[in-house]
Amino acid sequence: MTVSALDNGITGNRIDSQTVLYGVIGDPVRHSKSPIMMNRAFRETGINGAYMAFHITPGKLGQFVAGIRAMGIRGVNVTIPHKLDIMKYMDEIDAGAQAIGAVNTIVNDNGRLTGYNTDGIGYVRSLKEEAEPELAGKRILVIGAGGASRGIVYALAGEQPSGITIANRSVERAEELAQSFRSLADIRAIANDELQAACGEADIVINTTSVGMHPHTDATPIDTSWLKPSAVASDLIYNPLRTKFLLDAEQHGCRVHGGLGMFIYQGAYAFEYWTGQPAPAAAMRETVLQSLV
Ligand code: NAP
Protein backbone atom coordinates (compact mmCIF):
# COMPACT_ATOMS: atom_id res chain seq x y z
CA MET A 1 0.00 0.00 0.00
CA THR A 2 1.33 3.43 -0.89
CA VAL A 3 1.69 6.30 1.53
CA SER A 4 -0.99 8.26 -0.30
CA ALA A 5 -3.39 5.30 0.03
CA LEU A 6 -2.80 5.37 3.76
CA ASP A 7 -3.38 9.11 3.84
CA ASN A 8 -6.55 9.07 1.83
CA GLY A 9 -7.92 5.56 1.75
CA ILE A 10 -8.05 4.36 5.34
CA THR A 11 -9.07 7.29 7.49
CA GLY A 12 -9.47 9.85 4.72
CA ASN A 13 -7.81 12.29 7.12
CA ARG A 14 -4.61 14.22 6.54
CA ILE A 15 -1.79 12.38 8.27
CA ASP A 16 1.48 14.24 8.74
CA SER A 17 3.98 15.04 11.47
CA GLN A 18 1.45 17.29 13.26
CA THR A 19 -1.32 14.67 13.41
CA VAL A 20 -2.60 14.02 16.93
CA LEU A 21 -3.46 10.44 17.80
CA TYR A 22 -6.68 9.22 19.44
CA GLY A 23 -8.18 5.78 19.86
CA VAL A 24 -10.41 3.21 21.49
CA ILE A 25 -9.25 0.26 23.60
CA GLY A 26 -11.22 -2.92 24.16
CA ASP A 27 -11.02 -6.70 24.14
CA PRO A 28 -12.46 -7.47 21.63
CA VAL A 29 -12.39 -4.20 19.66
CA ARG A 30 -12.49 -5.07 15.94
CA HIS A 31 -16.31 -4.68 15.81
CA SER A 32 -16.08 -1.06 17.06
CA LYS A 33 -17.72 1.69 14.99
CA SER A 34 -15.83 4.40 16.92
CA PRO A 35 -12.90 4.72 14.44
CA ILE A 36 -15.11 5.44 11.42
CA MET A 37 -17.29 7.78 13.48
CA MET A 38 -14.43 9.77 15.04
CA ASN A 39 -12.32 10.00 11.88
CA ARG A 40 -15.39 11.42 10.11
CA ALA A 41 -15.69 13.95 12.95
CA PHE A 42 -12.04 15.02 12.47
CA ARG A 43 -12.51 15.32 8.71
CA GLU A 44 -15.72 17.28 9.13
CA THR A 45 -14.16 19.79 11.54
CA GLY A 46 -10.77 19.98 9.78
CA ILE A 47 -8.96 18.87 12.93
CA ASN A 48 -5.66 17.12 12.22
CA GLY A 49 -6.40 13.95 14.21
CA ALA A 50 -6.39 10.21 13.56
CA TYR A 51 -8.35 7.68 15.59
CA MET A 52 -7.38 4.00 15.82
CA ALA A 53 -8.76 0.84 17.46
CA PHE A 54 -6.26 -0.81 19.83
CA HIS A 55 -6.84 -4.40 20.92
CA ILE A 56 -5.61 -4.29 24.51
CA THR A 57 -5.91 -7.44 26.64
CA PRO A 58 -6.39 -6.97 30.42
CA GLY A 59 -2.73 -7.82 31.22
CA LYS A 60 -1.51 -5.02 28.91
CA LEU A 61 -3.59 -2.18 30.34
CA GLY A 62 -0.77 -0.66 32.43
CA GLN A 63 1.62 -0.76 29.47
CA PHE A 64 -0.99 0.91 27.28
CA VAL A 65 -1.43 3.74 29.80
CA ALA A 66 2.35 4.28 29.79
CA GLY A 67 2.05 4.40 26.00
CA ILE A 68 -0.63 7.11 26.15
CA ARG A 69 1.82 9.37 27.99
CA ALA A 70 4.90 8.34 26.00
CA MET A 71 3.24 8.80 22.62
CA GLY A 72 1.18 11.82 23.56
CA ILE A 73 -2.12 10.18 22.61
CA ARG A 74 -4.58 13.02 23.29
CA GLY A 75 -7.77 11.04 23.87
CA VAL A 76 -8.88 7.46 24.41
CA ASN A 77 -12.28 5.78 24.57
CA VAL A 78 -12.46 2.76 26.81
CA THR A 79 -14.81 -0.14 26.23
CA ILE A 80 -15.47 -3.64 27.58
CA PRO A 81 -13.79 -5.04 29.67
CA HIS A 82 -11.62 -2.10 30.80
CA LYS A 83 -14.07 0.57 32.05
CA LEU A 84 -13.49 -0.26 35.74
CA ASP A 85 -9.86 -1.37 35.71
CA ILE A 86 -8.68 1.76 33.86
CA MET A 87 -9.75 3.94 36.80
CA LYS A 88 -6.72 3.13 38.94
CA TYR A 89 -4.41 4.54 36.26
CA MET A 90 -6.07 7.98 36.14
CA ASP A 91 -4.55 11.08 37.78
CA GLU A 92 -8.03 12.50 38.21
CA ILE A 93 -11.57 11.16 37.82
CA ASP A 94 -14.52 13.38 37.03
CA ALA A 95 -17.25 13.35 39.71
CA GLY A 96 -19.80 11.70 37.39
CA ALA A 97 -17.45 8.88 36.40
CA GLN A 98 -16.56 8.41 40.08
CA ALA A 99 -20.24 8.12 41.05
CA ILE A 100 -20.98 5.72 38.17
CA GLY A 101 -17.85 3.69 38.93
CA ALA A 102 -16.65 3.49 35.33
CA VAL A 103 -14.54 5.52 32.88
CA ASN A 104 -15.17 5.43 29.12
CA THR A 105 -13.19 8.51 28.06
CA ILE A 106 -9.64 9.63 28.89
CA VAL A 107 -8.31 13.12 28.27
CA ASN A 108 -4.51 13.48 28.24
CA ASP A 109 -3.33 16.98 29.20
CA ASN A 110 0.46 16.85 28.78
CA GLY A 111 0.70 13.51 30.57
CA ARG A 112 -1.98 14.18 33.17
CA LEU A 113 -4.84 11.74 32.57
CA THR A 114 -8.45 12.56 33.51
CA GLY A 115 -11.21 9.94 33.30
CA TYR A 116 -14.81 10.79 32.33
CA ASN A 117 -17.96 8.81 31.69
CA THR A 118 -19.97 10.05 28.69
CA ASP A 119 -22.36 7.06 28.33
CA GLY A 120 -25.13 8.35 30.60
CA ILE A 121 -24.95 12.01 29.52
CA GLY A 122 -24.75 10.84 25.90
CA TYR A 123 -27.91 8.83 26.36
CA VAL A 124 -29.81 11.71 28.00
CA ARG A 125 -28.72 14.18 25.28
CA SER A 126 -29.99 11.75 22.66
CA LEU A 127 -33.29 11.14 24.49
CA LYS A 128 -33.89 14.89 24.83
CA GLU A 129 -32.95 15.73 21.24
CA GLU A 130 -34.73 12.79 19.59
CA ALA A 131 -37.76 11.91 21.72
CA GLU A 132 -38.56 13.93 24.85
CA PRO A 133 -37.02 17.37 25.42
CA GLU A 134 -38.47 17.76 28.93
CA LEU A 135 -37.53 15.12 31.50
CA ALA A 136 -38.37 17.18 34.59
CA GLY A 137 -41.48 15.86 36.33
CA LYS A 138 -41.53 12.63 34.31
CA ARG A 139 -41.92 9.17 35.83
CA ILE A 140 -39.19 6.99 34.35
CA LEU A 141 -38.97 3.18 34.36
CA VAL A 142 -35.53 1.68 33.71
CA ILE A 143 -35.48 -2.05 32.91
CA GLY A 144 -32.09 -3.60 33.71
CA ALA A 145 -29.41 -2.75 36.25
CA GLY A 146 -26.13 -3.56 34.48
CA GLY A 147 -23.21 -1.29 33.59
CA ALA A 148 -25.06 0.85 31.04
CA SER A 149 -28.02 1.28 33.38
CA ARG A 150 -25.75 2.78 36.09
CA GLY A 151 -24.59 5.64 33.86
CA ILE A 152 -28.09 6.28 32.62
CA VAL A 153 -29.75 6.32 36.03
CA TYR A 154 -27.06 8.76 37.28
CA ALA A 155 -27.61 11.11 34.32
CA LEU A 156 -31.43 10.86 34.51
CA ALA A 157 -31.34 11.63 38.24
CA GLY A 158 -29.86 15.03 37.36
CA GLU A 159 -32.90 15.95 35.22
CA GLN A 160 -35.41 16.33 38.09
CA PRO A 161 -37.70 13.44 37.12
CA SER A 162 -40.67 12.91 39.46
CA GLY A 163 -39.29 9.42 40.09
CA ILE A 164 -37.14 6.62 38.67
CA THR A 165 -38.10 2.95 39.06
CA ILE A 166 -35.48 0.31 38.33
CA ALA A 167 -36.59 -3.25 37.51
CA ASN A 168 -34.15 -6.10 37.11
CA ARG A 169 -34.23 -9.87 36.73
CA SER A 170 -31.92 -10.10 39.77
CA VAL A 171 -33.74 -7.66 42.05
CA GLU A 172 -30.79 -7.24 44.42
CA ARG A 173 -28.83 -5.57 41.59
CA ALA A 174 -31.72 -3.11 41.06
CA GLU A 175 -31.77 -2.39 44.81
CA GLU A 176 -28.01 -1.80 44.89
CA LEU A 177 -28.26 0.63 41.97
CA ALA A 178 -31.23 2.50 43.49
CA GLN A 179 -29.32 2.78 46.76
CA SER A 180 -26.25 4.29 45.05
CA PHE A 181 -28.16 7.30 43.69
CA ARG A 182 -31.03 7.67 46.17
CA SER A 183 -29.58 10.96 47.43
CA LEU A 184 -29.97 12.46 43.92
CA ALA A 185 -33.63 11.60 43.13
CA ASP A 186 -36.65 9.57 44.19
CA ILE A 187 -35.42 6.12 43.06
CA ARG A 188 -36.96 2.75 43.90
CA ALA A 189 -36.22 -0.84 42.89
CA ILE A 190 -38.72 -3.51 41.88
CA ALA A 191 -38.62 -7.12 40.72
CA ASN A 192 -39.58 -8.02 37.15
CA ASP A 193 -42.95 -9.44 38.30
CA GLU A 194 -43.99 -5.87 39.24
CA LEU A 195 -43.23 -4.56 35.74
CA GLN A 196 -46.81 -4.48 34.45
CA ALA A 197 -47.99 -2.09 37.16
CA ALA A 198 -44.86 0.07 36.81
CA CYS A 199 -45.33 0.31 33.02
CA GLY A 200 -48.88 1.59 33.53
CA GLU A 201 -47.53 4.57 35.53
CA ALA A 202 -44.44 5.41 33.44
CA ASP A 203 -44.00 8.33 31.03
CA ILE A 204 -40.71 6.94 29.72
CA VAL A 205 -39.74 3.23 29.68
CA ILE A 206 -36.10 2.41 28.93
CA ASN A 207 -34.76 -1.03 28.08
CA THR A 208 -31.14 -1.23 29.26
CA THR A 209 -30.99 -5.03 29.10
CA SER A 210 -29.56 -6.97 26.18
CA VAL A 211 -32.97 -8.61 25.57
CA GLY A 212 -33.85 -8.14 21.87
CA MET A 213 -30.26 -7.62 20.69
CA HIS A 214 -29.01 -9.38 17.55
CA PRO A 215 -29.28 -12.37 17.02
CA HIS A 216 -32.20 -12.74 19.49
CA THR A 217 -34.31 -10.15 17.73
CA ASP A 218 -37.67 -11.85 18.54
CA ALA A 219 -37.21 -11.23 22.27
CA THR A 220 -38.69 -8.26 24.14
CA PRO A 221 -38.31 -7.24 27.80
CA ILE A 222 -42.03 -6.45 28.33
CA ASP A 223 -45.49 -6.82 26.84
CA THR A 224 -45.92 -3.39 25.27
CA SER A 225 -49.72 -3.46 25.79
CA TRP A 226 -48.80 -2.55 29.40
CA LEU A 227 -47.50 0.87 28.27
CA LYS A 228 -49.48 4.10 28.25
CA PRO A 229 -49.90 5.03 24.55
CA SER A 230 -48.59 8.50 25.45
CA ALA A 231 -45.34 7.01 26.80
CA VAL A 232 -41.89 7.12 25.22
CA ALA A 233 -40.33 3.67 24.68
CA SER A 234 -36.53 3.82 24.56
CA ASP A 235 -34.01 1.05 23.90
CA LEU A 236 -30.22 1.16 24.33
CA ILE A 237 -29.79 -1.52 21.69
CA TYR A 238 -28.85 -0.30 18.20
CA ASN A 239 -28.38 -3.67 16.53
CA PRO A 240 -31.09 -3.91 15.27
CA LEU A 241 -31.84 -0.17 14.98
CA ARG A 242 -35.50 -0.93 15.78
CA THR A 243 -35.90 -3.75 18.33
CA LYS A 244 -39.08 -5.78 18.76
CA PHE A 245 -39.73 -3.72 21.90
CA LEU A 246 -39.70 -0.49 19.84
CA LEU A 247 -41.68 -1.93 16.90
CA ASP A 248 -44.39 -3.22 19.28
CA ALA A 249 -44.45 0.05 21.24
CA GLU A 250 -44.82 2.03 18.00
CA GLN A 251 -47.80 -0.15 17.04
CA HIS A 252 -49.27 0.66 20.45
CA GLY A 253 -49.02 4.41 19.72
CA CYS A 254 -45.89 5.22 21.73
CA ARG A 255 -43.06 7.51 20.62
CA VAL A 256 -39.92 5.41 20.20
CA HIS A 257 -36.21 6.10 20.66
CA GLY A 258 -33.42 3.70 19.61
CA GLY A 259 -29.88 3.23 20.96
CA LEU A 260 -27.88 4.68 18.06
CA GLY A 261 -28.12 8.23 19.42
CA MET A 262 -26.54 7.16 22.71
CA PHE A 263 -23.55 5.78 20.84
CA ILE A 264 -23.24 8.94 18.72
CA TYR A 265 -23.50 11.34 21.67
CA GLN A 266 -21.17 9.44 24.01
CA GLY A 267 -18.65 9.93 21.20
CA ALA A 268 -19.71 13.54 20.66
CA TYR A 269 -19.03 14.40 24.31
CA ALA A 270 -15.63 12.68 24.14
CA PHE A 271 -14.79 14.66 20.98
CA GLU A 272 -15.81 17.89 22.73
CA TYR A 273 -13.69 17.11 25.82
CA TRP A 274 -10.66 16.42 23.63
CA THR A 275 -10.93 19.24 21.12
CA GLY A 276 -13.02 21.95 22.81
CA GLN A 277 -15.10 22.13 19.62
CA PRO A 278 -18.73 21.16 19.02
CA ALA A 279 -18.97 17.64 17.61
CA PRO A 280 -20.48 17.25 14.12
CA ALA A 281 -23.11 14.83 15.43
CA ALA A 282 -25.19 14.62 12.22
CA ALA A 283 -22.15 13.64 10.13
CA MET A 284 -21.05 11.14 12.78
CA ARG A 285 -24.51 9.54 12.73
CA GLU A 286 -24.56 9.42 8.93
CA THR A 287 -21.24 7.55 8.82
CA VAL A 288 -22.28 4.99 11.44
CA LEU A 289 -25.66 4.45 9.80
CA GLN A 290 -23.98 3.85 6.42
CA SER A 291 -21.78 1.20 8.04
CA LEU A 292 -24.77 -0.60 9.56
CA VAL A 293 -26.76 -1.18 6.35
P1 NAP B 1 -24.53 -5.78 31.44
O1 NAP B 1 -23.77 -4.99 32.41
O2 NAP B 1 -24.10 -7.20 31.14
O3 NAP B 1 -26.08 -5.83 31.96
C1 NAP B 1 -27.03 -6.63 31.30
C2 NAP B 1 -28.43 -6.36 31.89
O4 NAP B 1 -29.37 -7.10 31.11
C3 NAP B 1 -28.62 -6.81 33.34
O5 NAP B 1 -29.56 -5.98 33.96
C4 NAP B 1 -29.17 -8.23 33.15
O6 NAP B 1 -29.93 -8.68 34.26
C5 NAP B 1 -30.09 -8.00 31.98
N1 NAP B 1 -30.39 -9.22 31.23
C6 NAP B 1 -29.54 -9.91 30.41
N2 NAP B 1 -30.18 -10.97 29.87
C7 NAP B 1 -31.45 -10.94 30.36
C8 NAP B 1 -32.59 -11.78 30.18
N3 NAP B 1 -32.55 -12.85 29.36
N4 NAP B 1 -33.74 -11.45 30.81
C9 NAP B 1 -33.79 -10.35 31.63
N5 NAP B 1 -32.74 -9.53 31.84
C10 NAP B 1 -31.58 -9.83 31.22
O7 NAP B 1 -24.63 -5.08 30.01
P2 NAP B 1 -24.56 -3.49 29.69
O8 NAP B 1 -23.16 -3.13 29.38
O9 NAP B 1 -25.29 -2.78 30.76
O10 NAP B 1 -25.36 -3.43 28.29
C11 NAP B 1 -26.77 -3.63 28.25
C12 NAP B 1 -27.31 -3.34 26.85
O11 NAP B 1 -27.10 -1.97 26.54
C13 NAP B 1 -26.67 -4.14 25.73
O12 NAP B 1 -27.67 -4.52 24.82
C14 NAP B 1 -25.73 -3.16 25.08
O13 NAP B 1 -25.54 -3.43 23.70
C15 NAP B 1 -26.48 -1.85 25.27
N6 NAP B 1 -25.58 -0.70 25.27
C16 NAP B 1 -25.78 0.25 24.31
C17 NAP B 1 -24.95 1.35 24.28
C18 NAP B 1 -25.16 2.41 23.22
O14 NAP B 1 -24.24 3.22 22.99
N7 NAP B 1 -26.32 2.48 22.61
C19 NAP B 1 -23.93 1.51 25.24
C20 NAP B 1 -23.76 0.53 26.21
C21 NAP B 1 -24.61 -0.59 26.22
P3 NAP B 1 -29.20 -9.45 35.49
O15 NAP B 1 -28.59 -8.38 36.35
O16 NAP B 1 -30.31 -10.15 36.18
O17 NAP B 1 -28.18 -10.38 34.88
Side-chain angles (χ1 to χ4, degrees), residues 80 83 119 143-149 168-170 173 192 207-211 213 236-238 259-260 262-264 266:
I80 290 169
K83 290 185 185 189
D119 283 332
I143 307 170
S149 181
N168 197 48
R169 178 175 62 178
S170 344
R173 238 178 144 187
N192 274 359
N207 176 36
T208 76
T209 76
S210 44
V211 177
M213 190 164 76
L236 264 53
I237 295 170
Y238 63 89
L260 184 63
M262 172 176 176
F263 177 67
I264 304 299
Q266 61 78 31

Side-chain angles (χ1 to χ4, degrees), residues 216-281:
H216 305 291
T217 52
D218 286 340
T220 175
I222 56 158
D223 179 338
T224 46
S225 69
W226 300 343
L227 299 175
K228 293 195 286 190
S230 59
V232 172
S234 173
D235 204 322
L236 264 53
I237 295 170
Y238 63 89
N239 184 12
L241 288 168
R242 282 268 189 272
T243 56
K244 178 169 168 50
F245 167 54
L246 295 187
L247 291 170
D248 290 353
E250 203 165 31
Q251 285 272 315
H252 189 62
C254 298
R255 277 171 290 155
V256 298
H257 170 247
L260 184 63
M262 172 176 176
F263 177 67
I264 304 299
Y265 284 114
Q266 61 78 31
Y269 274 115
F271 181 92
E272 288 166 8
Y273 288 152
W274 296 330
T275 68
Q277 292 197 29

Side-chain angles (χ1 to χ4, degrees), residues 59-281:
K60 297 272 173 64
L61 201 53
Q63 289 174 47
F64 178 75
V65 173
I68 297 177
R69 293 195 177 92
M71 295 169 68
I73 298 175
R74 166 66 179 158
V76 177
N77 287 128
V78 181
T79 188
I80 290 169
H82 302 310
K83 290 185 185 189
L84 270 69
D85 293 339
I86 198 74
M87 293 177 80
K88 63 174 175 283
Y89 297 105
M90 298 296 100
D91 297 304
E92 196 179 327
I93 294 176
D94 161 75
Q98 194 79 63
I100 293 162
V103 159
N104 81 329
T105 300
I106 303 170
V107 178
N108 176 9
D109 287 308
N110 300 315
R112 185 173 172 76
L113 306 184
T114 304
Y116 295 88
N117 192 310
T118 66
D119 283 332
I121 54 175
Y123 171 79
V124 166
R125 186 158 150 192
S126 159
L127 180 67
K128 288 169 85 168
E129 292 197 7
E130 296 162 31
E132 178 50 76
E134 188 55 70
L135 303 181
K138 296 289 191 301
R139 178 150 283 286
I140 302 174
L141 171 61
V142 177
I143 307 170
S149 181
R150 270 192 85 78
I152 280 169
V153 169
Y154 174 78
L156 289 169
E159 297 287 327
Q160 288 86 46
S162 79
I164 301 175
T165 302
I166 306 165
N168 197 48
R169 178 175 62 178
S170 344
V171 68
E172 53 297 344
R173 238 178 144 187
E175 274 157 6
E176 199 182 301
L177 176 51
Q179 189 56 40
S180 312
F181 300 131
R182 202 156 269 154
S183 61
L184 305 177
D186 176 8
I187 307 183
R188 70 184 179 117
I190 60 168
N192 274 359
D193 58 9
E194 297 168 83
L195 266 172
Q196 182 169 0
C199 281
E201 294 172 357
D203 302 308
I204 302 170
V205 176
I206 306 165
N207 176 36
T208 76
T209 76
S210 44
V211 177
M213 190 164 76
H214 180 80
H216 305 291
T217 52
D218 286 340
T220 175
I222 56 158
D223 179 338
T224 46
S225 69
W226 300 343
L227 299 175
K228 293 195 286 190
S230 59
V232 172
S234 173
D235 204 322
L236 264 53
I237 295 170
Y238 63 89
N239 184 12
L241 288 168
R242 282 268 189 272
T243 56
K244 178 169 168 50
F245 167 54
L246 295 187
L247 291 170
D248 290 353
E250 203 165 31
Q251 285 272 315
H252 189 62
C254 298
R255 277 171 290 155
V256 298
H257 170 247
L260 184 63
M262 172 176 176
F263 177 67
I264 304 299
Y265 284 114
Q266 61 78 31
Y269 274 115
F271 181 92
E272 288 166 8
Y273 288 152
W274 296 330
T275 68
Q277 292 197 29

